[in-house]
Amino acid sequence: MQGLGSIIPLILMFVLFYFLLIRPQQKRTKAVQQMQNELKKGDKIITIGGLHGFVDSIDENKAVIKCGDGSRLTFDRNAIREVTESAKTSGTAEVSLDK
């Protein structure tokens, strides 16, 4: 009975670590992988280095990013941190300036 009393706190600590540290990290990793798999041409992105640009072309492992000055840089797909604007929403809003 005394051995069981000393194992219960260890089990509780493992459960606590799982729900507070391990599980949220797994969810973040899964969300980043999904975002990187759903990249498409025209998405406005930010790399892990802080470069802002648009996806010009993409293949299995690499993405060509078009920067503001027109230069094209090749990055690993894993170097893309987030998509700030999807390609389908970036070109749909047109403003009519009829006077």
Side-chain angles (χ1 to χ4, degrees):
M1 197 59 142
Q2 202 172 23
L4 184 63
S6 64
I7 293 177
I8 290 177
L10 290 174
I11 293 172
L12 288 174
M13 284 178 53
F14 179 75
V15 170
L16 185 68
F17 275 122
Y18 177 77
F19 283 107
L20 293 178
L21 298 174
I22 299 170
R23 191 166 176 229
Q25 181 63 35
Q26 287 175 341
K27 284 185 176 183
R28 278 191 296 271
T29 303
K30 186 177 179 181
V32 167
Q33 274 185 328
Q34 182 180 1
M35 178 271 304
Q36 289 173 348
N37 289 334
E38 293 176 354
L39 283 173
K40 56 191 168 296
K41 184 176 178 175
D43 284 349
K44 187 174 180 182
I45 56 100
I46 302 174
T47 65
I48 57 175
L51 178 82
H52 293 247
F54 293 93
V55 176
D56 190 46
S57 67
I58 193 160
D59 66 8
E60 190 172 317
N61 295 323
K62 295 179 184 177
V64 177
I65 310 300
K66 186 174 182 180
C67 301
D69 63 352
S71 61
R72 288 177 172 81
L73 304 170
T74 303
F75 283 90
D76 284 342
R77 203 174 198 162
N78 295 333
I80 298 173
R81 183 179 71 195
E82 67 179 285
V83 175
T84 58
E85 192 174 326
S86 182
K88 41 184 178 177
T89 60
S90 63
T92 57
E94 293 185 20
V95 178
S96 175
L97 297 176
D98 296 331
K99 289 186 181 183

